[in-house]
């Protein structure tokens, strides 16, 4: 078994530990020290004593990379768990309790050919830089391929002698620098793999392109009649299109966790025994401390309110956008937003054990779990490299024997095999269909984050709907109102119009046709409502118990809704209801259920209105996640449709997920699909496009396989030269693209 010290290349010494350690530190480059500091700052200390690190590996781009990383790190001493995530291009490394030395892990990753970075540095570098490079390479290779093809036309038409040589030299002038520039993504990847004793799919691709270019250059110099610059550059052009499309799809799947982390406060104001305030960073806040959280700030850790009253946005927990009044004794969770007044909170949990940390961990676990599906296509690609090498080598050796040492004929046949087996059609089969589908969905107001989600969407058998903000609009409306005409209704409108509370805004909207009375000394009382002076009397709009303090009598019996009263007058009560989102009664005909953090009565009422029998009420984020995991264990493929922060773990963990554009940032980022239209018919249309895409992808794979079944034997038998191989390869790619374009015809 390899040990950490062995992996790090250091010998242990019982008496020279401090000196060896100091020497090691001096030997570290400043970049490595900075990397270790960044990774240690973001490390999570687990409840069992272990430490988890997230390390970005931008060079990871195929299933073989995942195998190499996990097999390389797992046997090391002191490692508890290793999980590589291709979508995030990160590896999650958990060190065992008592081990906090990450240096050997970083050294081992470099030995394997992967340059480690902190996730923050990788994000700063940006995927846009990689994508921009690929798009530039696509443009250069496409422009060069078009020009070389024009130069090749006279040669194909019979030009010979000096004219043919001239066109070959002109083609070489275009092709050689183009191959050197546009082929770098494949060449660099292949060199890194070979330097560390492994192969990936870029090795045979690079071999085919370089050999075709070198053969063509040699033929041009000796005046031979077989230059294949057009084949080499066209090959690069189609391969780069596939690589760029794949990069675009994967880059959208990496931002959800970072957006959720943005909800975390960086620290808090601690109240000491003398009442003085001291700012402490998040890691310094311990259970039992007293924090003062001002209006507009997020609670940094979980705690209990010990002084003051306020309204808080608890959507992260319940999904309800309506503010919740809290006062002494109420529990608050990290990440929730304090809206209206300063409160003192006694902390109950540290930041790494807080509610927000739990939600973040659930999302990360869900992302890792889903990556297994994505690896399916990568496993297919992993078999590509050895198969192509074997076919090309077999062809070369066979032709050497058949021609009694005919190197030129043997090499030409081997290069033809390398070119004709280039995975253009296979590589385009999935991403092109996904891009066309994404375009069709975009035209219908639906955004797709992850291309593989289309495949999962096509096989769903159940749908889970969140209630508030998904089946309903999330905005309350006045259901019943008994405020009499005249002064009461005019004063009520004046108070309601000056409040930002959703209930007051709903009342203001309902009273929009009435005049507005003049009021003075209007102010909002945190956690209670709005108060003002109208014609010398107090007027209140808000919670019933608070409003009842100035009323002469109550209408009685109500505990929720919005109340209004003039001092010494009766109390008027208005009830609220939720309005269904458009299309909620025309949902897809699949088994469905409603999951919500609301009470059973409200959930069942909405479910009944939309024709859904199964309901699950009072669920927190972890409960929703557990329910979906239970469904998955029973073999169901559940589509989750939700909008709230509390839905984020469920959206990330579901087999497929959708969110409206009105959803929280984290909810949108966690979902596979985001629809901008208010109409829920977007769900049915996405399902329809997914089914059609699945059929197109299968057809594309069939076309690619049939192409290889016929083309490879022809290339191996010498019936195809590199140019014809490139034309055949390009034709197969065009057929795949044309077949995928049929997805544009799907009607909404």
């Amino acid at each position: 078994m390899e040990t950490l010290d062995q992996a790090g290349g250091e010998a242990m010494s019982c008496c020279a530990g401090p000196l060896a350690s100091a020497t090691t530190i001096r030997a570290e480059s400043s970049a490595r020290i900075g990397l270790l500091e960044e990774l240690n700052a973001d490390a999570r200390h687990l409840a069992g004593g272990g430490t988890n690190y997230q390390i970005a590996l931008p060079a990871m781009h195929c299933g073989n990379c995942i195998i190499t990383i996990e097999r390389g790190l797992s046997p090391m001493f002191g490692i508890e768990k290793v999980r590589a995530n291709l979508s995030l291009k990160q590896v999650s490394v958990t060190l065992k309790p008592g081990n906090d030395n990450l240096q050997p892990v970083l050294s081992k990753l470099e030995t394997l050919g992967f340059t480690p970075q902190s996730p923050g540095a990788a994000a700063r570098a940006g995927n846009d830089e990689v994508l921009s490079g690929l798009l530039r390479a696509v443009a250069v290779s496409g422009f060069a391929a078009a020009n070389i093809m024009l130069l090749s036309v006279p040669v194909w038409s019979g030009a010979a002698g000096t004219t043919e040589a001239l066109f070959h030299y002109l083609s070489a002038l275009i092709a050689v620098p183009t191959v050197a520039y546009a082929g770098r993504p494949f060449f660099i990847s292949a060199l890194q793999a070979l330097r560390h004793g492994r192969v990936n799919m870029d090795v045979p691709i690079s071999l085919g392109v370089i050999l075709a270019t070198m053969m063509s250059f040699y033929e041009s110099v000796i005046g031979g009649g077989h230059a294949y610059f057009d084949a080499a550059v066209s090959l690069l052009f189609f391969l780069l299109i596939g690589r760029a499309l794949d990069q675009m799809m994967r880059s959208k799947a990496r931002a959800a966790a970072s957006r959720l982390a943005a909800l975390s406060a960086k620290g808090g104001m601690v109240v000491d025994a003398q009442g003085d305030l001291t700012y402490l960073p998040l890691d310094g806040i311990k259970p039992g401390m007293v924090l003062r959280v001002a209006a507009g700030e997020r609670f940094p850790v979980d705690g209990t309110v010990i002084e003051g009253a306020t309204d808080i946005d608890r959507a992260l927990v319940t999904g309800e956008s309506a503010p919740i009044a809290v006062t002494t004794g109420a529990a608050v969770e990290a990440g929730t937003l304090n809206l209206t007044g300063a409160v003192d909170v006694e902390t109950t949990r540290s930041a790494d054990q807080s509610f927000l940390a739990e939600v973040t961990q659930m999302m990360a676990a869900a992302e890792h779990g889903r990556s297994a599906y994505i690896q399916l296509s990568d496993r297919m690609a992993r078999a590509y490299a050895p198969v192509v090498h074997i076919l090309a080598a077999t062809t070369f050796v066979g032709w050497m024997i058949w021609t009694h040492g005919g190197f030129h004929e043997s090499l030409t046949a081997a290069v033809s095999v390398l070119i004709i087996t280039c995975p253009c059609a296979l590589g385009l089969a999935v991403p092109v269909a996904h891009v066309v589908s994404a375009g069709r969905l975009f035209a219908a107001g639906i955004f797709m984050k992850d291309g593989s989600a289309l495949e999962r969407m096509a096989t769903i058998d159940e749908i889970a709907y969140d209630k508030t903000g998904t089946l309903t609009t999330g905005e309350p409306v006045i259901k019943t109102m008994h405020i009499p005409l005249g002064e009461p209704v005019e004063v009520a409108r004046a108070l309601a119009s000056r409040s930002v509370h959703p209930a007051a805004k709903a009342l203001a909207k309902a009273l929009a046709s009435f005049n507005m009375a003049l009021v003075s000394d209007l102010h909002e009382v945190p956690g209670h409502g709005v108060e003002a002076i109208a014609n010398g009397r107090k007027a209140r709009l808000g919670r019933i118990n608070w409003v009842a303090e100035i009323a002469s009598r109550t209408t009685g019996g109500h505990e929720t809704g919005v109340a209004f009263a003039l001092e010494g007058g009766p109390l008027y009560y208005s009830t609220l209801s939720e309005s269904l989102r458009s299309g909620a009664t025309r949902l897809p005909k699949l088994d469905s259920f409603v999951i919500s953090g609301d009470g059973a009565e409200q959930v069942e009422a909405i479910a009944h209105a939309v024709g859904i029998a199964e309901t699950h009420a009072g669920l927190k984020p972890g409960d929703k996640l557990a329910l979906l995991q239970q469904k998955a264990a029973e073999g169901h493929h559940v589509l989750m449709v939700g909008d709230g922060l509390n839905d984020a773990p469920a959206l990330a963990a579901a087999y497929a997920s959708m969110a409206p554009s009105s959803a929280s940032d984290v909810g949108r980022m966690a979902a596979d699909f985001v629809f901008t239209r208010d109409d829920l018919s977007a769900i049915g249309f996405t399902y329809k496009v997914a089914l059609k895409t699945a059929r197109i992808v299968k057809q594309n794979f069939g076309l690619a396989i049939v192409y290889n079944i016929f083309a490879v034997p022809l290339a191996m038998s010498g019936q195809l030269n590199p140019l014809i191989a490139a034309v055949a390869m390009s034709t197969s790619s065009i057929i795949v693209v044309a077949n995928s374009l049929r997805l544009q015809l799907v009607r909404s």
Side-chain angles (χ1 to χ4, degrees):
M1 175 181 290
E2 189 175 8
T3 69
L4 282 174
D5 298 291
Q6 289 167 340
E10 300 170 23
M12 292 186 65
S13 171
C14 60
C15 58
L19 178 61
S21 177
T23 303
T24 302
I25 292 173
R26 285 195 297 272
E28 292 292 339
S29 68
S30 59
R32 171 56 61 85
I33 294 174
L35 172 61
L36 284 169
E37 289 177 347
E38 284 194 62
L39 293 174
N40 282 323
D42 295 332
R44 290 190 297 113
H45 301 285
L46 307 179
T51 308
N52 178 263
Y53 296 88
Q54 299 294 324
I55 306 171
L57 301 174
M60 180 169 59
H61 64 81
C62 69
N64 201 29
C65 297
I66 293 176
I67 297 292
T68 301
I69 293 166
E70 293 185 345
R71 288 182 178 175
L73 297 184
S74 295
M76 295 175 67
F77 180 79
I79 300 289
E80 183 172 307
K81 185 177 180 182
V82 177
R83 288 295 299 275
N85 189 313
L86 186 58
S87 293
L88 301 176
K89 292 198 172 184
Q90 291 181 9
V91 59
S92 171
V93 179
T94 302
L95 302 184
K96 291 181 178 178
N99 175 31
D100 59 355
N101 187 5
L102 191 64
Q103 166 63 23
V105 174
L106 302 182
S107 299
K108 183 66 176 179
L109 286 171
E110 289 182 338
T111 303
L112 295 172
F114 300 95
T115 302
Q117 295 183 8
S118 69
R124 289 192 294 273
N127 295 307
D128 290 344
E129 185 178 338
V130 177
L131 181 60
S132 297
L134 286 170
L135 292 177
R136 284 194 297 272
V138 169
V140 169
S141 59
F143 180 78
N147 284 278
I148 295 173
M149 286 293 181
L150 287 175
L151 294 171
S152 298
V153 170
V155 178
W156 298 341
S157 302
T162 306
T163 303
E164 182 186 43
L166 176 63
F167 284 129
H168 281 171
Y169 279 122
L170 290 175
S171 297
L173 285 174
I174 300 172
V176 172
T178 298
V179 169
Y181 174 77
R184 287 185 304 165
F186 305 102
F187 303 157
I188 292 173
S189 172
L191 280 174
Q192 287 179 339
L194 292 174
R195 195 162 54 208
H196 297 92
R198 58 188 179 88
V199 295
N200 58 21
M201 63 187 298
D202 291 334
V203 173
I205 290 174
S206 301
L207 197 60
V209 171
I210 291 173
L211 285 177
T213 305
M214 291 177 63
M215 277 185 58
S216 302
F217 191 78
Y218 175 76
E219 289 283 329
S220 300
V221 171
I222 67 172
H226 304 290
Y228 306 112
F229 294 116
D230 42 11
V233 177
S234 299
L235 186 66
L236 271 181
F237 176 60
F238 283 99
L239 288 169
L240 284 165
I241 289 176
R243 184 64 59 89
L245 292 175
D246 183 69
Q247 179 69 22
M248 290 170 66
M249 289 295 173
R250 292 187 189 277
S251 63
K252 292 181 180 179
R254 298 169 190 153
S258 59
R259 298 293 292 272
L260 186 59
L263 295 178
S264 175
K266 302 301 181 187
M269 301 299 294
V270 177
V271 185
D272 61 20
Q274 290 72 40
D276 297 329
L277 297 177
T278 304
Y279 178 82
L280 281 183
L282 205 55
D283 290 344
I285 300 175
K286 307 298 181 185
M289 291 182 170
V290 177
L291 298 178
R292 181 158 299 166
V293 183
E297 294 180 350
R298 292 190 182 276
F299 292 93
V301 297
D302 297 353
T304 303
V305 177
I306 59 174
E307 185 175 342
T310 185
D311 290 325
I312 64 171
D313 180 351
R314 207 161 167 261
L316 174 64
V317 183
T318 66
E320 286 289 345
S321 57
I324 303 296
V326 295
T327 186
T328 303
V332 293
E333 295 87 0
T336 54
L337 181 63
N338 183 14
L339 293 175
T340 53
V343 291
D344 286 354
V345 176
E346 182 177 352
T347 60
T348 54
R349 291 201 286 183
S350 59
D352 58 347
Q353 302 294 326
S354 69
F355 172 82
L356 184 60
E358 289 179 356
V359 174
T360 305
Q361 291 167 17
M362 283 188 286
M363 283 195 63
E367 286 282 0
H368 282 284
R370 192 166 54 183
S371 67
Y373 185 87
I374 299 173
Q375 290 177 27
L376 181 60
S377 60
D378 294 309
R379 283 199 293 271
M380 294 175 62
R382 193 163 63 242
Y384 164 80
V387 170
V388 169
H389 286 141
I390 291 171
L391 288 175
T394 302
T395 302
F396 181 79
V397 172
W399 272 87
M400 285 292 285
I401 296 173
W402 179 259
T403 59
H404 304 288
F407 182 80
H408 184 271
E409 295 88 344
S410 303
L411 186 59
T412 300
V415 170
S416 298
V417 171
L418 287 172
I419 291 177
I420 209 158
T421 53
C422 274
C424 289
L426 274 174
L428 291 172
V430 177
V432 167
H434 286 173
V435 167
V436 176
S437 298
R440 183 66 189 92
L441 291 173
F442 178 78
I446 303 164
F447 301 96
M448 183 177 73
K449 184 187 77 175
D450 185 352
S452 69
L454 274 172
E455 300 171 22
R456 287 180 272 116
M457 186 76 172
T459 59
I460 61 170
D461 55 12
E462 276 193 280
I463 303 179
Y465 295 98
D466 173 52
K467 182 182 72 69
T468 305
T470 303
L471 292 175
T472 69
T473 61
E475 297 180 0
V477 295
I478 296 298
K479 183 179 180 182
T480 62
M481 182 179 65
H482 305 288
I483 304 175
L485 299 178
E487 183 186 20
V489 75
E490 294 176 359
V491 174
R493 189 196 168 195
L495 268 63
S497 300
R498 288 169 172 79
S499 175
V500 297
H501 195 285
K505 292 169 70 175
L507 183 63
K509 189 175 182 180
L511 301 176
S513 61
F514 297 97
N515 294 325
M516 194 182 306
L518 291 176
V519 298
S520 60
D521 194 23
L522 188 145
H523 58 278
E524 190 149 2
V525 180
H528 296 292
V530 183
E531 184 179 77
I533 301 297
N535 293 324
R537 291 194 296 170
K538 278 186 180 179
R540 285 183 177 180
L541 176 74
R543 301 189 181 281
I544 187 167
N545 292 335
W546 178 67
V547 174
E549 293 174 359
I550 65 168
S552 61
R553 57 186 172 86
T554 70
T555 55
H558 299 291
E559 295 182 355
T560 59
V562 58
F564 168 76
L566 286 165
E567 189 173 16
L571 185 144
Y572 305 105
Y573 186 79
S574 301
T575 59
L576 302 170
S577 67
E578 295 180 275
S579 57
L580 288 178
R581 188 184 284 269
S582 175
T585 56
R586 304 188 304 277
L587 299 173
K589 304 298 182 186
L590 291 172
D591 292 340
S592 302
F593 55 94
V594 180
I595 55 177
S596 175
D598 285 357
E601 184 178 351
Q602 298 98 313
V603 175
E604 289 173 2
I606 295 297
H608 177 74
V610 300
I612 297 176
E614 183 179 347
T615 60
H616 300 270
L619 302 184
K620 290 186 175 181
D623 301 326
K624 293 182 178 181
L625 180 61
L627 178 61
L628 292 184
Q629 290 173 337
Q630 179 188 339
K631 291 281 186 180
E634 294 170 355
H636 293 291
H637 293 172
V638 180
L639 167 69
M640 172 69 196
V641 186
D643 74 314
L645 289 167
N646 63 321
D647 295 323
L651 288 167
Y655 193 71
S657 54
M658 294 188 72
S661 60
S662 58
S664 64
D665 287 352
V666 174
R668 291 198 305 271
M669 294 305 297
D672 296 314
F673 303 91
V674 175
F675 53 97
T676 58
R677 59 170 77 172
D678 290 333
D679 198 323
L680 289 178
S681 63
I683 301 169
F685 179 66
T686 304
Y687 181 54
K688 183 179 179 181
V689 170
L691 290 175
K692 184 70 174 177
T693 303
R695 286 195 292 271
I696 292 291
V697 167
K698 290 177 182 176
Q699 292 168 6
N700 287 347
F701 273 127
L703 288 169
I705 291 171
V706 169
Y707 152 78
N708 280 285
I709 288 175
F710 286 97
V712 171
L714 291 174
M716 294 181 71
S717 62
Q719 302 302 311
L720 303 177
N721 62 36
L723 177 58
I724 296 176
V727 171
M729 182 277 298
S730 302
T731 303
S732 69
S733 300
I734 292 171
I735 293 174
V736 165
V737 172
N739 189 48
S740 301
L741 288 175
R742 294 194 298 124
L743 287 166
Q744 292 280 12
L745 305 177
V746 180
R747 301 294 181 187
S748 59

